[in-house]
């Protein structure tokens, strides 16, 4: 069964550094999402992406964040100048169409900012 | 705006007893509803979903959930709990009327099944 994959599984970075989290959505999916979960807390929506542009973003998704689909398979989340409070689990998700009920989640990338 | 409430931070149940994890939601129009489970240091694992049809939905690992439109609830249930069911459970809602809409998750309920 096709699945969403994410790399790396764990990223450790120093405060102020830039990180890029990578996701490979399911191949025929068109809508892509990033969510964040601070340890043991709620899963929060960050951004959705369709047709090479952001379709919706939350208030968390400020100028520090950007997303890109650099090629036909990868979907990336870039965090510039990381802060301690960016430490969280980041989940990628995808759906085949906007009307599809279910989003398929990747296993997550744990980001630790020291 | 969509929202999900899980009124209990923690649910404790003895092994072999039935369990219920509560979820209520608010969404304009008709909802898609989901339950996910998260084990320590792991990702979100899909349990079950309500899309349409029968209000009682059966999912993985013996879990089921009942959609109650009048009470806007989608409680997760299992007839006989196992110690291995101990985990963090998230209810999520997605409006079906807005194209491409994101999920809204509840705050999570930690289930502890005691031997």
């Amino acid at each position: 069964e096709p699945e969403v994959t994410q790399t790396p599984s764990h990223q450790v970075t120093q405060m102020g550094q830039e990180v890029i989290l990578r996701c490979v959505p399911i191949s025929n999916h068109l809508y892509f999402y990033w969510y964040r979960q601070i340890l043991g807390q709620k899963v929060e929506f960050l951004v959705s992406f369709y047709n090479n542009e952001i379709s919706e973003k939350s208030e968390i998704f400020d100028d520090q964040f950007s997303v890109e689909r650099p090629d036909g398979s990868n979907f990336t989340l870039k965090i510039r100048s990381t802060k301690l409070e960016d430490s969280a689990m980041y989940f990628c998700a995808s759906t085949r169409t906007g009307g599809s009920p279910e989003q398929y989640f990747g296993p997550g990338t744990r980001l630790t900012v020291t | 705006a969509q929202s999900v409430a899980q009124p209990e931070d923690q649910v404790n149940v003895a092994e072999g007893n039935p369990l219920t994890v509560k979820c209520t939601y608010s969404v304009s129009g008709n909802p898609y509803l989901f339950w996910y489970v998260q084990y320590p240091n792991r990702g979100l694992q899909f349990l079950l979903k309500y899309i349409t049809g029968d209000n009682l939905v059966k999912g993985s690992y013996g879990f089921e959930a009942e959609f109650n439109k009048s009470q806007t609830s989608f409680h997760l249930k299992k007839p006989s709990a196992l110690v291995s069911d101990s985990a963090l459970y998230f209810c999520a809602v997605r409006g079906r009327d807005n194209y491409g809409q994101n999920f809204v998750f509840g705050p999570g309920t930690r289930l502890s099944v005691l031997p």
Side-chain angles (χ1 to χ4, degrees):
Chain A
E1 186 176 333
E3 57 185 20
V4 177
T5 59
Q6 290 185 243
T7 54
S9 56
H10 191 190
Q11 173 91 47
V12 181
T13 190
Q14 288 190 328
M15 197 166 53
Q17 296 297 305
E18 174 182 288
V19 295
I20 297 176
L21 310 183
R22 290 183 168 78
C23 168
V24 179
I26 295 172
S27 64
N28 63 347
H29 284 193
L30 301 176
Y31 287 76
F32 314 115
Y33 308 81
W34 282 102
Y35 292 82
R36 179 182 81 176
Q37 183 189 30
I38 294 170
L39 187 62
Q41 296 185 26
K42 186 176 179 176
V43 179
E44 300 171 295
F45 168 73
L46 289 178
V47 66
S48 59
F49 190 85
Y50 169 70
N51 200 25
N52 283 320
E53 60 183 30
I54 291 173
S55 48
E56 189 179 359
K57 60 182 181 179
S58 72
E59 58 192 22
I60 302 169
F61 193 88
D62 59 21
D63 292 343
Q64 184 194 9
F65 295 90
S66 62
V67 289
E68 192 179 29
R69 188 153 164 84
D71 54 44
S73 59
N74 287 283
F75 177 51
T76 62
L77 175 68
K78 183 188 291 185
I79 309 175
R80 287 181 282 274
S81 190
T82 50
K83 299 176 280 195
L84 293 176
E85 52 265 39
D86 294 327
S87 295
M89 184 78 96
Y90 289 82
F91 293 104
C92 174
S94 69
T95 44
R96 189 169 60 83
T97 70
S100 301
E102 188 170 348
Q103 293 181 3
Y104 294 81
F105 285 84
T109 292
R110 181 172 298 284
L111 176 65
T112 302
V113 182
T114 62
Chain B
Q2 301 174 119
S3 66
V4 178
Q6 293 179 243
E8 299 153 319
D9 294 334
Q10 174 93 31
V11 170
N12 298 320
V13 64
E15 188 175 28
N17 282 1
L19 70 87
T20 299
V21 182
K22 294 179 181 176
C23 171
T24 58
Y25 67 90
S26 173
V27 67
S28 59
N30 294 311
Y32 296 125
L33 294 157
F34 302 83
W35 276 101
Y36 287 84
V37 60
Q38 186 179 36
Y39 296 97
N41 300 310
R42 301 291 295 274
L44 297 170
Q45 209 170 312
F46 171 77
L47 274 182
L48 50 79
K49 64 185 176 188
Y50 170 80
I51 304 300
T52 188
D54 195 348
N55 289 344
L56 183 64
V57 178
K58 293 188 184 297
S60 308
Y61 314 119
F63 284 93
E64 58 187 31
E66 186 163 13
F67 170 58
N68 187 318
K69 188 173 182 178
S70 63
Q71 296 186 3
T72 61
S73 68
F74 190 56
H75 301 330
L76 181 70
K77 300 183 180 185
K78 187 173 182 180
S80 178
L82 301 172
V83 172
S84 57
D85 293 330
S86 299
L88 189 57
Y89 289 79
F90 291 99
C91 181
V93 67
R94 187 173 188 227
R96 66 175 71 210
D97 296 332
N98 290 336
Y99 214 67
Q101 199 169 50
N102 56 283
F103 276 26
V104 173
F105 284 85
T109 297
R110 190 164 299 281
L111 173 68
S112 291
V113 181
L114 309 172

